[in-house]
């Protein structure tokens, strides 16, 4: 039986209109934008903008508000993507262990030549080596890893 309001499951997502999309672009570019500023930029009342943002949060479209960090300036000058091959059907267990790793920034279950893509930020190469050889390879469900050192990175920030 499918999830839905009749059996207590989650409601299907509500469609987003052009104003909702514009609000998302504004908040992605500046999560600290005031309700007043957002309302003016999308040409709706403050009450309407407030209600729309609340709905986007309640619906899980907006998962939170955060700062974009320059990892190098924050003392994490080494970044790497690490690919992992894992034992079949252990994604949930592995994901929970990866969430606990210091410097883990993004975790994705993917299809292709490997199973998981992990982005990490560490203070230096020694810390990265420790993370890969001591922490990651000690996870029993991890069959193999491959580390791709990031030389330069840039966040693609939406234009407001």
């Amino acid at each position: 039986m499918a999830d839905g309001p009749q059996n207590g499951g989650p409601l299907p997502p509500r469609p987003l209109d052009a104003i909702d999309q514009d609000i998302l672009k504004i908040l992605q570019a500046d999560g600290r934008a005031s309700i007043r500023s957002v309302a003016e930029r999308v040409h709706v009342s403050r009450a309407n903008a407030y209600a729309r943002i609340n709905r986007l949060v309640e619906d899980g479209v907006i998962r939170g508000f955060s700062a974009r960090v320059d990892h190098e300036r924050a003392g994490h000058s080494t970044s790497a993507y690490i690919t992992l091959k894992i034992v079949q059907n252990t994604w949930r267990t592995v994901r929970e262990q990866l969430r606990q790793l210091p410097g883990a920034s993004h975790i994705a279950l993917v299809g292709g030549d490997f199973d998981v893509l992990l982005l990490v930020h560490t203070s230096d190469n020694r810390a990265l080596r420790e993370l890969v050889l001591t922490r990651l390879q000690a996870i029993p469900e991890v069959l193999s890893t491959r580390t791709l050192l990031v030389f330069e990175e840039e966040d693609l920030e939406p234009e407001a």
Side-chain angles (χ1 to χ4, degrees):
M1 181 162 36
D3 280 341
Q6 296 83 7
N7 62 3
L11 294 172
R14 292 181 259 198
L16 303 181
D17 64 16
I19 293 172
D20 292 330
Q21 295 289 349
D22 288 344
I23 289 172
L24 290 175
K25 286 178 190 169
I26 291 166
L27 292 176
Q28 283 178 296
D30 180 6
R32 297 182 345 159
S34 69
I35 297 289
R36 179 175 164 229
S37 166
V38 171
E40 288 173 356
R41 292 170 65 185
V42 298
H43 310 290
V44 299
S45 70
R46 282 187 285 184
N48 188 325
Y50 183 81
R52 285 174 177 267
I53 291 169
N54 277 346
R55 179 179 49 82
L56 292 167
V57 170
E58 288 170 6
D59 287 355
V61 175
I62 295 176
R63 296 183 300 175
F65 298 87
S66 62
R68 287 189 299 271
V69 175
D70 181 317
H71 295 286
E72 191 167 347
R73 288 180 180 246
H76 295 107
S77 59
T78 299
S79 297
Y81 285 96
I82 304 169
T83 66
L84 296 89
K85 288 187 181 181
I86 61 173
V87 174
Q88 193 171 19
N89 297 319
T90 62
W91 161 244
R92 287 174 185 81
T93 303
V94 171
R95 177 181 57 197
E96 293 311 311
Q97 294 177 72
L98 296 178
R99 283 180 174 162
Q100 305 305 315
L101 292 175
S105 174
H106 183 86
I107 305 165
L109 177 65
V110 297
D113 293 336
F114 48 89
D115 305 305
V116 178
L117 182 63
L118 172 68
L119 173 60
V120 297
H121 304 283
T122 61
S123 57
D124 54 28
N125 285 350
R126 177 170 282 161
L128 176 61
R129 179 183 184 278
E130 177 72 17
L131 183 107
V132 173
L133 297 181
T134 304
R135 302 286 298 270
L136 276 177
Q137 293 183 358
I139 298 172
E141 298 85 1
V142 172
L143 301 173
S144 67
T145 65
R146 178 171 285 166
T147 303
L148 306 167
L149 193 59
V150 174
F151 294 128
E152 187 175 316
E153 62 186 316
E154 180 178 339
D155 287 332
L156 301 177
E157 300 170 8
E159 293 184 26

